[in-house]
C-alpha cells in the first residue's frame, strides 16, 4: 500500500504544504494514542474552563489543541493558526505562507463515552492583499489549498483533499504511517439515509421541518421510499459515513438561542468538510447559499449546514426555495 508522501508528490503538492499536512498527522498519531489509552492516560473528563464557544473544555480538547498548535508553529512554515479552542489566532513565522484553521477534537461530547471523535483541518495561504491578524483567515472556502480530517474510530483514518479528489488513508500502527486505502472517494448521488439531531425539530425553520417530516413518512409519504437515520454527534463521524456510502448530513439553524442560531463553525468545520464533500461529487449548502462561497466575517463564525448526496441535497434545497420562512441565521 502507498504511503501518503509519495501520493502527494505524484499530485505535485508543494513540499512545504506536504510538510504542514505531515505535521498535522504527527500530532494526530499522538492524539490517537492518548484516545486509545482512554482512562489509562488520565486525560479523560472535563477541565474547569470554558472555551470561547462557551463550551466546557475536555482535558483532551486542551491537550489536542496544544499538540497541534505547538507542532505546527515549530515547523516555521505556518504564518498563524486559528483553533476552536483559541479565542484569537496564534501568530507563527511572519514570513511563512500557510494558515491552518482546525478543530482539534470534534465530537468532544463523545470522548468520555468512548465514542468516535476527530480532528478537522483547513489550510489556506496568506492572502495576496495586505491583511493582518485574524483578517488573514477571512477567506472563502474556495481559497482552501487543502482540507481533511482524521477520524479516531476503530481505526484512525485520514480523509484528505488538495483539490484533486479525495483519498482516504488508514493508520498502520505497526509502522506509524497513514497508508492509502481508498483512492478516489465518490459520494453516491442518491441516498436513503439522513443525519440530524431530531431533538431540535420544534426549533427548526419550516423548510427543514417539512423536509424531515416527509422523509419520516417513508413509502406512505411524498418521497415514496423508506429512509434511515443516523446521528453520531460528531460531524467527522457522520460526514465520514456520507463520504463512504452517501447520505445527507445537516445541522440546520434553530431558534433555541436567537443570538447563536447555528452550531457548526464555518472556518474549521463547514468549509473543510464542504471541500471534501464537493471534491467527492457531493453538494454543500446553508439551505440558501453554497457554503464555500460564503465570505467569513469572524474566525468563529457559525453557519447552518446541509451536505452530502447531491440529488438529495437538491431535494432539501427545493423545500427551502418553495417554503417561505423566517431565517434565524442572517
Ligand atoms: P462537540 O465537539 O462540542 O461535541 O460538538 C460536536 C459538533 O460540533 C459536531 O461535531 C456535531 O455534529 C454536533 O456538534 C453535535 O451537536 P449536538 O450535540 O447538538 O447533537
Amino acid at each position: 500500500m502507498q504511503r501518503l508522501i509519495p501520493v502527494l508528490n505524484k499530485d505535485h503538492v508543494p513540499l512545504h504544504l506536504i510538510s504542514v499536512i505531515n505535521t498535522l498527522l504527527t500530532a494526530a498519531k499522538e492524539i490517537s494514542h492518548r484516545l486509545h489509552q482512554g482512562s489509562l492516560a488520565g486525560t479523560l473528563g472535563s477541565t474547569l474552563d470554558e472555551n470561547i464557544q462557551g463550551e466546557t473544555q475536555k482535558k483532551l480538547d486542551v491537550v489536542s489543541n496544544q499538540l497541534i498548535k505547538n507542532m505546527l508553529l515549530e515547523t516555521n512554515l505556518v504564518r498563524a493558526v486559528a483553533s476552536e479552542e483559541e479565542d484569537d489566532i496564534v501568530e507563527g513565522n511572519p514570513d511563512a505562507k500557510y494558515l491552518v484553521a482546525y478543530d482539534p477534537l470534534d465530537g468532544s461530547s463523545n470522548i468520555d463515552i468512548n465514542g468516535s471523535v476527530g480532528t478537522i483541518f483547513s489550510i489556506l495561504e496568506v492572502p495576496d492583499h495586505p491583511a493582518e491578524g485574524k483578517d488573514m483567515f477571512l477567506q472563502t472556502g474556495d481559497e482552501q489549498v487543502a482540507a481533511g480530517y482524521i477520524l479516531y474510530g476503530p481505526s484512525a483514518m485520514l480523509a484528505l483533499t488538495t483539490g484533486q479528489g479525495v483519498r482516504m488513508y488508514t493508520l498502520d500502527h505497526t509502522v506509524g504511517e497513514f497508508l492509502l486505502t481508498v483512492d478516489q472517494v465518490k459520494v453516491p448521488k442518491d441516498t436513503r439515509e439522513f443525519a440530524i439531531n431530531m431533538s431540535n425539530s420544534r426549533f427548526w425553520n419550516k423548510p427543514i421541518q417539512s423536509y424531515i417530516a416527509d422523509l419520516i413518512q417513508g413509502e406512505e409519504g411524498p418521497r415514496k421510499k423508506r429512509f434511515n437515520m443516523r446521528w453520531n454527534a460528531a460531524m467527522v463521524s457522520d460526514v465520514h459515513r456520507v463520504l463512504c456510502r452517501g447520505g445527507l448530513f445537516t445541522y440546520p439553524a434553530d431558534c433555541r438561542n436567537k443570538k447563536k442560531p447555528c452550531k457548526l463553525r464555518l472556518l474549521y468545520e463547514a468549509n473543510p468538510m464542504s471541500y471534501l464533500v464537493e471534491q467527492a461529487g457531493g453538494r454543500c449548502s446553508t439551505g440558501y447559499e453554497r457554503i464555500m462561497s460564503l465570505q467569513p466575517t469572524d474566525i468563529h463564525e457559525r453557519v447552518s449546514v446541509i451536505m452530502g448526496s447531491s440529488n438529495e441535497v437538491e431535494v432539501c434545497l427545493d423545500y427551502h426555495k418553495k417554503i417561505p420562512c423566517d431565517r434565524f441565521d442572517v
Side-chain angles (χ1 to χ4, degrees):
M1 284 186 185
Q2 296 179 72
R3 292 181 304 110
L4 175 77
I5 292 180
V7 174
L8 296 185
N9 277 327
K10 241 189 286 182
D11 283 349
H12 307 295
V13 175
L15 281 180
H16 283 176
L17 180 54
I18 292 178
S19 180
V20 171
I21 293 167
N22 210 35
T23 302
L24 280 161
L25 298 184
T26 303
K29 284 182 248 182
E30 174 64 25
I31 294 168
S32 174
H33 171 69
R34 293 181 189 225
L35 280 165
H36 287 133
Q37 277 201 301
S39 310
L40 303 176
T43 48
L44 297 189
S46 299
T47 67
L48 300 175
D49 304 318
E50 275 192 356
N51 59 19
I52 188 170
Q53 327 287 342
E55 296 156 347
T56 302
Q57 285 186 307
K58 299 284 188 186
K59 287 180 194 165
L60 265 176
D61 278 327
V62 176
V63 168
S64 304
N65 180 52
Q66 290 292 358
L67 270 169
I68 295 171
K69 177 176 62 175
N70 295 343
M71 286 186 178
L72 284 175
L73 298 181
E74 279 161 12
T75 65
N76 263 333
L77 297 174
V78 173
R79 173 69 185 78
V81 299
S83 165
E84 183 194 39
E85 301 303 333
E86 299 281 345
D87 297 0
D88 201 343
I89 69 165
V90 180
E91 306 263 2
N93 174 3
D95 301 322
K97 73 185 276 190
Y98 291 114
L99 301 166
V100 183
Y102 64 91
D103 179 354
L105 217 51
D106 172 68
S108 309
S109 55
N110 288 342
I111 292 174
D112 295 344
I113 55 156
N114 201 24
S116 289
V117 292
T119 296
I120 309 173
F121 60 90
S122 167
I123 304 177
L124 297 157
E125 291 181 341
V126 172
D128 295 336
H129 59 76
E132 291 289 308
K134 63 171 69 172
D135 291 351
M136 294 188 289
F137 284 86
L138 303 185
Q139 304 179 48
T140 66
D142 282 325
E143 297 303 318
Q144 296 174 99
V145 293
Y149 60 77
I150 300 94
L151 172 61
Y152 308 109
S155 59
M157 286 192 75
L158 162 71
L160 175 70
T161 185
T162 55
Q164 299 161 83
V166 177
R167 293 192 180 94
M168 290 183 177
Y169 304 77
T170 302
L171 177 60
D172 180 339
H173 288 276
T174 49
V175 294
E177 290 275 1
F178 281 89
L179 303 181
L180 180 65
T181 41
V182 185
D183 194 7
Q184 279 304 321
V185 177
K186 286 290 171 244
V187 178
K189 292 193 176 308
D190 296 295
T191 185
R192 289 173 180 251
E193 198 159 60
F194 67 99
I196 192 166
N197 181 340
M198 288 298 290
S199 67
N200 298 327
S201 57
R202 63 189 181 285
F203 303 113
W204 300 331
N205 67 24
K206 292 278 177 286
I208 278 284
Q209 282 181 332
S210 175
Y211 168 70
I212 296 293
D214 287 353
L215 293 185
I216 289 173
Q217 285 183 56
E219 302 89 332
E220 290 76 47
R223 302 301 306 275
K224 301 192 186 328
K225 60 182 181 177
R226 181 169 303 186
F227 283 82
N228 188 30
M229 197 202 95
R230 287 283 183 275
W231 188 247
N232 293 349
M235 187 183 193
V236 173
S237 177
D238 282 315
V239 172
H240 184 73
R241 186 189 54 254
V242 168
L243 286 172
C244 292
R245 68 185 192 209
L248 182 138
F249 168 88
T250 179
Y251 208 113
D254 64 61
C255 60
R256 283 176 291 174
N257 175 350
K258 292 224 190 278
K259 290 201 185 79
K260 216 186 278 184
C262 301
K263 170 141 198 197
L264 301 182
R265 276 58 58 133
L266 176 58
L267 248 59
Y268 40 81
E269 287 174 327
N271 268 341
M273 289 311 204
S274 295
Y275 196 12
L276 288 165
V277 170
E278 285 198 4
Q279 281 285 313
R283 183 154 180 196
C284 310
S285 172
T286 62
Y288 299 95
E289 301 89 8
R290 175 176 171 264
I291 288 175
M292 289 210 292
S293 303
L294 295 174
Q295 175 54 52
T297 54
D298 180 74
I299 58 170
H300 295 300
E301 179 172 342
R302 296 166 184 261
V303 289
S304 57
V305 172
I306 302 166
M307 58 171 61
S309 296
S310 54
N311 291 345
E312 191 55 37
V313 170
E314 186 62 37
V315 170
C316 183
L317 297 185
D318 280 346
Y319 282 72
H320 286 76
K321 286 188 192 113
K322 290 179 185 145
I323 302 171
C325 82
D326 46 329
R327 282 189 64 172
F328 317 122
D329 56 337
V330 286

